Amino acid sequence: MTRRVVVALLTPVSWSPPGVDLLKWRTALAEDVVDLLAMLAQAEPAIAARPEDRALAEEIAWPGMRIYDVPTATVLPVLRAAAGDGFDQAAVIAADAADVPGMILGKLLRPLTTRPVAVAPGGGSGLLGVAARLPAPDWLPDHDLDTATPMSLRRSAPNPGDIQSTADWRRLRGPADLATLDPALEGWENTRTILGG
């Protein structure tokens, strides 16, 4: 049985809707992502946090949920922590994609049966997430989810096909992203509430 973990990485958040406190906004986004991860059937949920974000991680974690302490909000420390816990596969997801469907996360993990790494684009710039067989390949560079792209990661791979791109999903990082929220999608209750409905 393959052991999988999906980790919400508490990435920095620099924008919130007008009139919404930045910390409350960040908390709502991350809590919605964590709530989704807690419901996944084929993977265990976890949170990764820098020291300054540890209190936020503890606030939004479900009982018994793993919290990985990482020095930076980048992917490799999270993958190393998951490997140290004995997982065979791990996905690292940005914690600002409040309405991401579980199906998108499943599609991110699926290529790991034949590829060492999979990436989900972030719907405009950056990445939604990265998944890898563990331990992560030596050629995979450390990177954050805000600036990395599938192409930038492929440049380091022995073969470009070693990294599979999967379905993209937007992160909520600005007014344009906010306008694409679909009220018909289930989930994202905390974000929905903070937006007033």
Side-chain angles (χ1 to χ4, degrees):
M1 178 89 176
T2 301
R3 290 190 68 215
R4 300 179 182 91
V5 62
V6 181
V7 186
L9 176 59
L10 296 180
T11 52
V13 173
S14 59
W15 174 87
S16 64
V20 176
D21 176 78
L22 185 63
L23 179 58
K24 288 181 180 176
W25 175 246
R26 184 184 192 207
T27 301
L29 295 176
E31 194 163 13
D32 283 335
V33 172
V34 167
D35 288 352
L36 169 68
L37 299 188
M39 300 299 176
L40 294 177
Q42 302 297 321
E44 294 185 39
I47 301 170
R50 298 171 297 164
E52 59 266 36
D53 293 329
R54 177 71 192 208
L56 173 59
E58 291 175 353
E59 179 183 340
I60 63 175
W62 284 44
M65 186 177 282
R66 286 179 171 81
I67 299 176
Y68 292 124
D69 295 304
V70 292
T72 57
T74 55
V75 170
L76 279 188
V78 183
L79 295 178
R80 289 188 191 111
D85 258 355
F87 287 102
D88 303 304
Q89 299 176 358
V92 183
I93 306 296
D96 57 10
D99 65 336
V100 63
M103 173 183 66
I104 297 290
L105 304 184
K107 288 181 177 180
L108 178 60
L109 287 163
R110 189 172 300 128
L112 298 184
T113 57
T114 58
R115 311 284 175 89
V117 176
V119 295
S125 64
L127 299 173
L128 165 69
V130 176
R133 294 182 201 158
L134 300 177
D138 291 339
W139 49 259
L140 183 65
D142 196 17
H143 58 279
D144 63 55
L145 297 174
D146 291 339
T147 59
T149 65
M151 192 57 64
S152 68
L153 295 187
R154 282 194 183 99
R155 282 196 283 270
S156 66
N159 300 297
D162 288 337
I163 297 180
Q164 175 71 47
S165 285
T166 66
D168 70 333
W169 194 262
R170 60 159 148 47
R171 296 164 56 191
L172 299 176
R173 293 184 284 176
D177 301 315
L178 197 62
T180 64
L181 282 168
D182 183 354
L185 278 176
E186 293 184 10
W188 62 283
E189 299 302 328
N190 298 288
T191 303
R192 199 185 306 257
T193 299
I194 210 168
L195 290 173

